[in-house]
Amino acid sequence: MDPKMNPVDRIAELVTNGENFVLQGGAGSGKTESLKRLVQKLLEVNPGLRIACITHTNKAAEEISDRIPGDIFVSTVHSFFGQVISPFKRSIQQAFPKIFELDVFVPLGVDRYNDDEKLWKKEEHNRFKKAHGQLENRRRSVLGEETTKVATKPEYDKQPDTYNAQLNGWIEDLNKEIRDKAVMRQPNEFYYNDTAFNNFNDPSYGHDGLIALACHILEDLPLLGKIVSDRYDCIFIDEYQDTSADVVRVLLRCLPKDGKTVIGLFGDSEQAIYSDGIGSAQSHIDAKELTLVVKEDNYRCSPQVIKFSNKLRTDGLSQEVALKSFDNGTLETLESRQGSVKLIFDLAPSPVDSGDKLEDKKTNAGLFRNALDALVEKTALQYPDYVQLKLTNKSIADNVGFGGIYQIFNDRYSEPRDRMRKTFDRLQFGEVIDLIDLHASLPGDRRAYNRLIAKLRKCGYAITSVSDKAKLDKMLHSLREKDRTAYETVQYAVECGLIRVSEGHKSFVDRGNEFLAKISGDPAFAEFEKLYLNGYRTKLQMSKEVAARSMKHISAGLLEQEYDDRLNDLKQKNFLVSLFSKEITFGEIRAFYEYEDSGGKFSTMHKTKGTGIENVLLVIDEYGWTTEYDFVSCFEKGVPETKREISSRKLLYVACSRTKKNLLCVRLMKSQEEADLIASFFPQSIKL
């Protein structure tokens, strides 16, 4: 690249030559502005150029439309692919089974576990159970059939090949029946249901199913790739790092090579915030399918924040201050961009050691949390105009009103936040909230009214008279205003015909009820639960108590073989009982969705990306609630290697780079050594 040529000019040159590209730019580099300028430049040269810009949300698409004038196609990735595949009903029918078929189970050798035979047997049985559980769910939802219960570890260890072959036989039979049933349908029966989930018996596909279908059809039907290529000269993807890897792959590889449709990606691999996104396009760069164009400008942050944030990047890109041009023709001054980066810390209280490890762990966690909260509160009082950003979800959940449900999921899952959204969507809380929000926009919002009616029609709710409208209004008012528990609200919406229970919803509830019924009749589980509730929380503690008491249904041998499974069953029972109990109010569910879908005072990676905040108070702590992050690793030498280290570094980078001027990081240090390590990264550190 000519060092004198700016990135937009360089990309325009690539487009002219028919070359695909990726614009990699850090936070505040003006990637969307570059997209706007590129489109303007291309249309000035060739007004007839057919350009599509696709992104992830309706809001992002609207923002791009507002910023990029001209006759171009702007949409979400779902709308884009929906328009592409919708005319091809027979191809949709043919590809439809693929989003329900299961992969056969492939066992791994002991060498994959460093020749540790004990670990190998344990993990292989866990993998087998997971595959068996997927089969159970799919057979129940697709075929309405039950499956023989999964083999226990002792049973599996004796005949792994036999059980693997049996499982794969069931999977192959299931896949064949899925294909056979789909063939019996008519092509025009398949449709996009505009929800998060696919339904086999409906038959319809949701958000992820739409993308999967489009990718399958593009791979299997060269004609579709030619149609896309004939329709668009350029396809630009904003925030490419959050786009499905399959989407990027099929656009680069399944369009005709001589069609000369240019694929352009705009984004930053260091800001990948969705686990199902491609993250990095490096493999396509290495394969010469994309030309990398780097944008080192930073129009957002102070020089001090830029210098600090650069230390957190792992791709070698080093951002520099870029001054903005104002509408009146003047240029921003460097002096007006000055800011600061500071660390405020304190040392954690000395841990209590009473000899009771379990009780001490609980006590020390409470002491640490109280000390951390006190440190954050004290710092916030000294810096009242700073917006707090917190990097873990438990701390935010308490602040914004869904701490109770977060605790329920945190007790069950290692990554509770992702599980919460998936579970709530599966139980159709999101659909109910959509109806409530649309109704709240009435009267006066014609678009909201049309969307509300369209959603109701999809689930078979008919409005044929004025009295029907009045009845609907009354039900929606009741849905919004009556104080019900969370699941009671969903049940009421179903009873009123406002939503239809999806296959995924029914399968979740049915499987939960079957599980609870199974363990309720298991005397060994009852004894295990009683021991656990009486304070015997480890295998060793429980084994000693069992040996001393000579219990009827549990032995030391059984605990040795089944302790982990029994503990998992206990956690699952507690989770299911709490999930459908009166502990969860609909208000908490609503608070969770409101937080997910809008920014707020307390933010994580998911809520900070893409916008700047003048002054930031960033709490760099895991709050003891997650094993997903380790922020100390961000300040250690070397490039992060593990998934945990990489996730921690990216999260911290995204949060820090939201700051326009003054960044204040707060951490309660677990030791003086940790304080010395982290403080060495900051130009200024203050111990409170």
Side-chain angles (χ1 to χ4, degrees):
M1 177 177 172
D2 183 346
K4 296 180 181 179
M5 184 179 290
N6 68 54
V8 172
D9 289 339
R10 171 60 175 146
I11 293 172
E13 182 181 81
L14 292 172
V15 173
T16 301
N17 294 334
E19 297 182 52
N20 302 323
F21 66 89
V22 52
L23 175 66
Q24 176 87 347
S29 61
K31 295 181 289 293
T32 303
E33 180 64 20
S34 296
L35 174 57
K36 169 188 170 181
R37 288 174 53 205
L38 173 65
V39 170
Q40 290 174 331
K41 189 177 187 69
L42 293 174
L43 292 178
E44 285 172 4
V45 176
N46 183 358
L49 204 64
R50 298 160 301 173
I51 300 174
C53 295
I54 59 179
T55 187
H56 300 281
T57 65
N58 288 318
K59 182 178 179 182
E62 289 169 4
E63 289 175 355
I64 292 175
S65 295
D66 291 341
R67 294 175 67 175
I68 303 179
D71 186 19
I72 65 170
F73 178 74
V74 181
S75 81
T76 64
V77 64
H78 292 97
S79 294
F80 177 83
F81 281 108
Q83 290 190 18
V84 167
I85 70 170
S86 59
F88 296 88
K89 297 293 187 182
R90 188 165 295 281
S91 295
I92 292 173
Q93 179 186 23
Q94 292 170 349
F96 189 73
K98 294 181 180 180
I99 62 178
F100 292 92
E101 292 174 4
L102 297 177
D103 293 330
V104 296
F105 179 74
V106 179
L108 303 177
V110 68
D111 57 306
R112 293 290 294 270
Y113 300 94
N114 296 321
D115 294 321
D116 185 332
E117 188 169 350
K118 186 176 181 180
L119 178 64
W120 170 53
K121 289 183 176 181
K122 177 183 177 182
E123 293 303 320
E124 282 299 283
H125 182 245
N126 287 338
R127 291 182 63 242
F128 174 82
K129 283 198 303 181
K130 183 177 180 180
H132 192 280
Q134 291 174 331
L135 175 72
E136 282 186 282
N137 285 339
R138 197 56 49 85
R139 293 187 81 228
R140 179 183 290 110
S141 62
V142 171
L143 306 179
E145 297 176 1
E146 299 305 316
T147 305
T148 303
K149 73 175 186 176
V150 65
T152 64
K153 186 174 181 298
E155 292 171 336
Y156 183 78
D157 286 347
K158 291 177 183 177
Q159 305 179 72
D161 293 341
T162 300
Y163 283 110
N164 291 341
Q166 182 186 57
L167 176 64
N168 285 333
W170 287 336
I171 290 173
E172 289 169 358
D173 289 343
L174 169 70
N175 290 345
K176 181 178 183 303
E177 192 153 357
I178 286 172
R179 292 190 294 269
D180 291 344
K181 284 196 170 190
V183 168
M184 298 299 292
R185 295 274 190 175
Q186 294 300 314
N188 60 5
E189 292 183 69
F190 298 84
Y191 69 97
Y192 175 49
N193 60 35
D194 197 20
T195 71
F197 298 99
N198 307 313
N199 287 295
F200 181 79
N201 295 307
D202 205 6
S204 63
Y205 45 95
H207 306 325
D208 292 342
L210 168 61
I211 300 302
L213 283 174
C215 291
H216 285 308
I217 297 171
L218 276 164
E219 288 177 313
D220 297 339
L221 186 65
L223 173 63
L224 184 57
K226 185 176 186 310
I227 289 172
V228 173
S229 185
D230 289 343
R231 188 178 296 175
Y232 301 110
D233 298 306
C234 303
I235 299 174
F236 299 146
I237 302 177
D238 197 28
E239 305 294 1
Y240 80 84
Q241 70 275 2
D242 301 326
T243 303
S244 161
D246 288 335
V247 167
V248 175
R249 176 178 53 80
V250 298
L251 287 178
L252 289 173
R253 298 178 182 174
C254 296
L255 303 190
K257 300 301 180 186
D258 58 353
K260 297 194 176 178
T261 296
V262 173
I263 307 300
L265 311 182
F266 295 75
D268 181 9
S269 59
E270 298 290 300
Q271 297 186 72
I273 66 173
Y274 298 115
S275 59
D276 54 354
I278 191 174
S280 171
Q282 191 60 50
S283 62
H284 294 291
I285 296 170
D286 293 341
K288 309 297 183 185
E289 295 170 323
L290 291 168
T291 298
L292 174 64
V293 179
V294 176
K295 198 170 193 298
E296 298 173 336
D297 302 323
N298 188 314
Y299 292 93
R300 175 193 298 157
C301 307
S302 64
Q304 293 81 5
V305 172
I306 293 172
K307 183 177 180 181
F308 179 78
S309 298
N310 280 341
K311 296 178 184 179
L312 300 172
R313 293 191 69 94
T314 62
D315 62 348
L317 188 152
S318 182
Q319 289 192 280
E320 300 175 353
V321 175
L323 301 176
K324 294 187 283 283
S325 296
F326 299 116
D327 292 339
N328 61 9
T330 62
L331 189 67
E332 180 185 30
T333 64
L334 184 60
E335 290 74 18
S336 68
R337 285 277 291 278
Q338 297 301 309
S340 64
V341 175
K342 298 177 185 177
L343 170 68
I344 290 186
F345 71 95
D346 199 0
L347 295 178
S350 300
V352 172
D353 185 4
S354 68
D356 186 334
K357 291 184 179 180
L358 189 66
E359 192 60 33
D360 287 348
K361 182 179 180 181
K362 183 178 179 181
T363 300
N364 290 325
L367 290 172
F368 187 92
R369 175 66 186 271
N370 291 338
L372 176 57
D373 288 344
L375 175 62
V376 173
E377 184 177 354
K378 186 176 180 181
T379 306
L381 288 173
Q382 294 183 21
Y383 298 86
D385 59 337
Y386 281 54
V387 173
Q388 290 185 37
L389 304 185
K390 296 187 176 182
L391 296 174
T392 54
N393 296 287
K394 170 61 182 174
S395 53
I396 296 164
D398 288 338
N399 287 131
V400 298
F402 58 92
I405 55 173
Y406 190 92
Q407 183 64 58
I408 290 169
F409 278 80
N410 189 76
D411 288 343
R412 179 67 184 91
Y413 297 109
S414 60
E415 297 181 10
R417 185 205 149 274
D418 288 339
R419 284 282 187 170
M420 287 168 70
R421 184 66 189 239
K422 289 175 182 176
T423 302
F424 295 155
D425 281 349
R426 190 171 188 178
L427 294 175
Q428 297 176 270
F429 287 115
E431 292 179 43
V432 174
I433 288 173
D434 281 346
L435 294 177
I436 289 173
D437 288 343
L438 290 171
H439 183 246
S441 300
L442 306 179
D445 189 336
R446 187 69 188 178
R447 181 180 295 181
Y449 175 79
N450 291 337
R451 287 181 59 201
L452 175 62
I453 298 304
K455 283 180 176 291
L456 293 172
R457 281 176 179 164
K458 277 188 177 181
C459 70
Y461 190 94
I463 300 174
T464 59
S465 65
V466 173
S467 62
D468 288 340
K469 286 185 179 181
K471 182 180 177 183
L472 173 62
D473 185 62
K474 183 178 179 180
M475 288 190 297
L476 288 170
H477 268 296
S478 178
L479 197 63
R480 286 169 54 189
E481 298 169 0
K482 191 169 177 62
D483 186 21
R484 298 182 179 88
T485 65
Y487 196 63
E488 284 175 350
T489 303
V490 173
Q491 288 175 311
Y492 176 77
V494 173
E495 291 167 7
C496 294
L498 302 176
I499 63 172
R500 284 192 300 187
V501 175
S502 68
E503 288 176 1
H505 180 163
K506 185 177 184 303
S507 175
F508 184 94
V509 173
D510 288 348
R511 193 174 185 201
N513 288 335
E514 289 165 10
F515 169 80
L516 293 174
K518 182 189 77 171
I519 62 172
S520 69
D522 183 348
F525 175 82
E527 288 187 355
F528 182 94
E529 182 179 31
K530 186 174 181 180
L531 285 168
Y532 193 87
L533 293 176
N534 286 335
Y536 303 99
R537 302 292 175 86
T538 68
K539 185 195 296 184
L540 180 60
Q541 289 175 338
M542 203 173 281
S543 296
K544 287 181 178 178
E545 180 65 13
V546 166
R549 292 174 57 183
S550 185
M551 301 185 72
K552 186 175 181 180
H553 300 287
I554 291 185
S555 65
L558 183 143
L559 287 174
E560 181 62 31
Q561 292 288 338
E562 299 183 15
Y563 178 84
D564 290 340
D565 290 339
R566 296 290 180 173
L567 181 59
N568 188 64
D569 285 347
L570 179 57
K571 288 182 177 181
Q572 183 69 0
K573 175 193 173 181
N574 293 338
F575 170 73
L576 289 170
V577 170
S578 297
L579 183 63
F580 293 100
S581 73
K582 297 185 184 300
E583 289 181 48
I584 301 183
T585 66
F586 191 71
E588 278 199 82
I589 302 286
R590 185 67 189 266
F592 171 76
Y593 273 91
E594 286 177 351
Y595 172 72
E596 284 280 289
D597 298 331
S598 64
K601 179 181 178 183
F602 302 99
S603 302
T604 61
M605 171 172 60
H606 294 267
K607 296 292 103 185
T608 61
K609 190 181 161 305
T611 56
I613 304 168
E614 194 77 6
N615 303 310
V616 168
L617 190 163
L618 177 63
V619 184
I620 305 178
D621 203 280
E622 300 84 356
Y623 269 78
W625 291 96
T626 177
T627 58
E628 188 178 358
Y629 300 112
D630 172 19
F631 298 121
V632 175
S633 69
C634 300
F635 302 95
E636 294 173 337
K637 304 297 182 183
V639 176
E641 297 178 353
T642 67
K643 179 182 177 182
R644 187 184 185 196
E645 291 172 349
I646 293 168
S647 297
S648 301
R649 188 78 67 96
K650 287 186 176 183
L651 172 54
L652 188 58
Y653 170 76
V654 170
C656 290
S657 63
R658 294 310 99 209
T659 312
K660 290 183 178 180
K661 287 202 171 180
N662 301 302
L663 172 63
L664 185 65
C665 294
V666 178
R667 182 170 175 87
L668 186 66
M669 304 293 181
K670 296 178 178 64
S671 66
Q672 186 60 52
E673 291 75 19
E674 181 179 291
D676 293 340
L677 170 68
I678 295 178
S680 67
F681 269 70
F682 288 82
Q684 183 180 359
S685 59
I686 303 168
K687 183 179 184 298
L688 287 188

